[in-house]
């Protein structure tokens, strides 16, 4: 494995860094003003997206991009450092049409859409003309186990009828959200991993109700982490994505590369938090010494650097494996980065907040928002406990072939008796 950036990737890194510094960071204050005034999408987003596309910084995330589709067709390993740069600003990825959940939906549609679905939904997404949402999580069940999902998708003639309730559906409150990919059960009595299906639901379909945009730790995202109700929602049979019973398989396909994106953006957040911590530690004095001259603070800085580097290497390895052996072959690594990276980010941001003191709790720095993001990722990407369970099960499975071989390292009983 060689994680050195290629010449093309390094050039793109410099280009994305330059774009961020010149066009995105100077607009941070305007973004907050627009959102506070209820203007969303913000006033400058369309102009920035047009500029990014003009500069070739568009759809950087999709390895299987076709030659006639807009974008770069980078591998996961090539895209990972670019996602890290975008992670420094929460809304930056949208500028490059690399924002979740649209990226995951584009991956799904790219793999499983019919020609008609491709033309109606995928192409407008690739062009950045519309937004979308992925409706999986439900309030009444533990949705980290997809077999628990209760939303019903029942066929009646040439239509499917959908009934259910979803929440924390990112993008559902975005004014440009044109459709949802809904996961529900078409065969509640079937084999557990063949009960679920996915279906495309235009947002303006009768029976789709946006109940509320749910605040997350009292923070209200303008694009929404929303609650939805589906009451006898009818869509054509042609809106089924893939085949009946393919929902679980497609969800696994969607959740592979998308986690690399989330984790690399999280590393970008951690880098920003560490930069802020280092600057603050060199500017602020307590008890006659700069903060970095106190042993505990210098240790926090050192540990933060080590933890970021460790997490980055694991994510790059995971990206490399997805590129070379597929998401299924990298499932243990995917589970590991889901558990490692949010925890690392949470720790680094927490230290930075402590170094800033009271200021770190205010909107004067991005640290409070970063902390909220880090805490949410430990649930949004699936609870840590689920990933740890998966890793342990895979480790046990891998150990079956060599079971008992470690006994060669044990001290024989006769030797112990002789002592």
């Amino acid at each position: 494995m060689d994680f050195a950036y290629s010449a093309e990737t390094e050039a793109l890194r410099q280009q994305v860094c330059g774009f961020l510094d010149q066009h995105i960071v100077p607009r941070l204050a305007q973004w907050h003003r627009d959102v506070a005034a209820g203007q969303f999408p913000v006033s400058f987003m369309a102009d920035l997206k047009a500029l990014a596309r003009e500069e070739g910084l568009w759809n950087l995330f999709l390895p299987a991009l076709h030659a006639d589709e807009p974008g770069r067709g980078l591998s996961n390993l090539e895209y990972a450092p670019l996602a890290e740069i975008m992670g420094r600003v929460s809304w930056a990825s949208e500028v490059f049409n690399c924002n979740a959940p649209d990226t995951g939906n584009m991956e799904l549609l790219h793999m499983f859409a019919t020609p008609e679905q491709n033309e109606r939904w995928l192409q407008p997404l690739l062009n950045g003309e519309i937004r979308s949402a992925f409706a999986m999580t439900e309030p009444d069940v533990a949705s980290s186990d997809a077999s628990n999902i209760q939303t019903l998708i029942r066929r009646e003639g040439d239509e499917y009828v959908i009934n259910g309730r979803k929440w924390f559906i990112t993008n559902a409150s975005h004014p440009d959200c044109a459709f949802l990919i809904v996961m529900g059960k078409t065969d509640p009595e079937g084999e557990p991993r063949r009960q679920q299906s996915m279906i495309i639901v235009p947002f303006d379909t009768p029976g789709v109700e946006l109940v509320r945009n749910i605040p997350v730790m009292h923070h209200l995202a303008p694009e929404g982490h929303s609650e939805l109700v589906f009451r006898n929602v009818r869509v054509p049979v042609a809106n089924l994505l893939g085949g009946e019973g393919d929902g679980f398989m497609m969800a696994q396909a969607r959740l592979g590369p998308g986690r690399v994106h989330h984790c690399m953006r999280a590393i970008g957040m951690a880098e920003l938090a560490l930069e802020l911590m280092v600057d603050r530690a060199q500017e602020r004095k307590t008890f006659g010494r700069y903060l970095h001259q106190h042993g505990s603070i210098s240790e926090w800085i050192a540990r933060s650097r080590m933890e970021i580097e460790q997490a980055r290497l694991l994510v790059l390895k995971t990206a490399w494996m997805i590129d070379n052996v597929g998401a299924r072959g990298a499932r243990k690594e995917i589970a590991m980065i889901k558990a490692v990276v949010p925890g690392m980010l949470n720790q680094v941001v927490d230290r930075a907040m402590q170094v800033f003191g009271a200021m770190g709790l205010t909107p004067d720095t991005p640290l409070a928002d970063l902390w909220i993001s880090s805490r949410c990722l430990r649930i949004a990407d699936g609870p840590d406990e689920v990933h740890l369970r998966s890793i342990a099960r895979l480790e046990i499975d891998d150990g079956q072939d060599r079971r008992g071989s470690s006994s060669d390292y044990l001290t024989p009983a006769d030797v112990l008796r002789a002592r």
Side-chain angles (χ1 to χ4, degrees):
M1 287 174 247
D2 183 1
F3 296 142
Y5 300 139
S6 67
E8 179 187 10
T9 301
E10 185 56 40
L12 282 170
R13 283 185 71 250
Q14 296 303 320
Q15 194 177 357
V16 173
C17 275
F19 196 103
L20 190 89
D21 291 342
Q22 295 172 34
H23 303 296
I24 293 177
V25 173
R27 288 176 168 83
L28 289 174
Q30 186 61 49
W31 188 90
H32 286 291
R33 282 193 290 266
D34 283 2
V35 170
Q39 181 171 352
F40 196 78
V42 292
S43 57
F44 53 82
M45 182 57 71
D47 291 340
L48 284 189
K49 290 171 76 171
L51 181 60
R53 185 166 182 176
E54 182 181 321
E55 294 191 7
L57 300 175
W58 192 256
N59 290 341
L60 301 169
F61 66 94
L62 194 59
L65 199 70
H66 299 148
D68 60 346
E69 294 173 329
R72 301 298 288 257
L74 302 178
S75 70
N76 287 289
L77 186 58
E78 291 170 327
Y79 174 64
L82 309 182
E84 177 180 335
I85 297 165
M86 296 175 200
R88 296 172 67 90
V89 176
S90 63
W91 47 269
S93 58
E94 181 180 357
V95 173
F96 307 102
N97 212 39
C98 294
N99 47 281
D102 292 332
T103 48
N105 288 347
M106 283 187 261
E107 287 170 339
L108 269 180
L109 292 168
H110 215 263
M111 288 185 285
F112 303 110
T114 64
E116 293 76 18
Q117 292 169 347
N118 182 307
E119 181 178 357
R120 182 174 180 187
W121 305 114
L122 177 57
Q123 295 310 312
L125 273 181
L126 288 171
N127 288 322
E129 298 165 1
I130 60 174
R131 301 291 302 271
S132 64
F134 184 69
M136 177 176 172
T137 305
E138 298 183 356
D140 299 322
V141 296
S143 298
S144 55
D145 179 357
S147 65
N148 289 334
I149 286 175
Q150 296 179 332
T151 295
L152 293 177
I153 304 173
R154 187 182 71 257
R155 182 163 182 170
E156 289 187 3
D158 294 332
E159 295 180 319
Y160 282 105
V161 182
I162 306 165
N163 283 280
R165 184 175 168 223
K166 302 284 187 178
W167 74 345
F168 287 92
I169 308 307
T170 303
N171 251 14
S173 292
H174 196 294
D176 297 334
C177 185
F179 72 95
L180 310 147
I181 295 180
V182 179
M183 187 160 174
K185 289 188 176 179
T186 46
D187 183 11
E189 305 304 320
E191 189 271 322
R193 295 195 174 187
R194 294 290 302 169
Q195 296 178 1
Q196 305 85 9
S197 300
M198 291 188 189
I199 195 161
I200 299 169
V201 179
F203 205 98
D204 59 0
T205 305
V208 178
E209 179 187 351
L210 176 60
V211 178
R212 57 174 173 154
N213 182 359
I214 304 170
V216 177
M217 293 182 169
H218 301 292
H219 173 79
L220 194 68
E223 72 277 9
H225 303 301
S226 305
E227 181 178 355
L228 301 169
V229 171
F230 299 84
R231 292 190 178 91
N232 294 319
V233 175
R234 292 180 174 270
V235 296
V237 168
N239 282 29
L240 188 72
L241 189 60
E244 284 196 12
D246 288 343
F248 189 91
M249 175 273 293
M250 291 191 292
Q252 295 302 110
R254 184 184 188 277
L255 292 176
R259 295 295 79 82
V260 176
H261 305 172
H262 274 313
C263 288
M264 286 310 299
R265 284 193 291 266
I267 290 173
M269 296 178 202
E271 284 283 5
L272 177 59
L274 178 55
E275 287 178 27
L276 290 164
M277 189 195 321
V278 169
D279 284 349
R280 179 74 166 184
Q282 296 178 86
E283 296 168 352
R284 197 81 160 180
K285 282 186 174 181
T286 60
F287 305 106
R289 305 169 72 186
Y290 286 105
L291 291 179
H292 71 87
Q293 294 174 321
H294 294 281
S296 58
I297 307 299
S298 62
E299 180 179 331
W300 290 353
I301 292 170
R303 289 194 179 280
S304 296
R305 170 50 62 203
M306 291 188 294
E307 290 160 7
I308 291 171
E309 295 299 326
Q310 290 169 337
R312 179 187 286 113
L313 284 172
L314 183 56
V315 173
L316 290 175
K317 177 191 176 185
T318 304
W320 181 89
M321 289 190 68
I322 294 173
D323 288 333
N324 286 275
V325 300
R328 179 169 178 79
R331 61 192 186 279
K332 186 192 295 185
E333 285 72 18
I334 291 170
M336 286 194 287
I337 63 173
K338 289 179 184 179
V340 166
V341 175
M344 175 277 296
L345 174 59
N346 194 252
Q347 183 79 279
V348 173
V349 174
D350 189 76
R351 291 171 184 147
M353 293 174 80
Q354 201 71 5
V355 169
F356 269 82
M359 186 180 179
L361 307 177
T362 73
D364 293 1
T365 80
L367 291 172
D369 284 343
L370 292 175
W371 188 88
I372 290 171
S373 295
S374 71
R375 189 62 188 84
C376 291
L377 278 176
R378 294 180 57 202
I379 294 176
D381 270 356
D384 292 351
E385 292 75 16
V386 171
H387 304 317
L388 295 174
R389 175 175 177 267
S390 298
I391 295 163
R393 291 177 66 178
L394 289 167
E395 198 68 19
I396 294 296
D397 290 344
D398 290 345
Q400 291 302 311
D401 291 340
R402 61 177 187 274
R403 185 179 180 185
S405 62
S406 63
S407 62
D408 293 341
Y409 293 85
L410 303 179
T411 305
D414 59 335
V415 173
L416 293 174
R417 284 195 295 269
R419 289 178 181 174

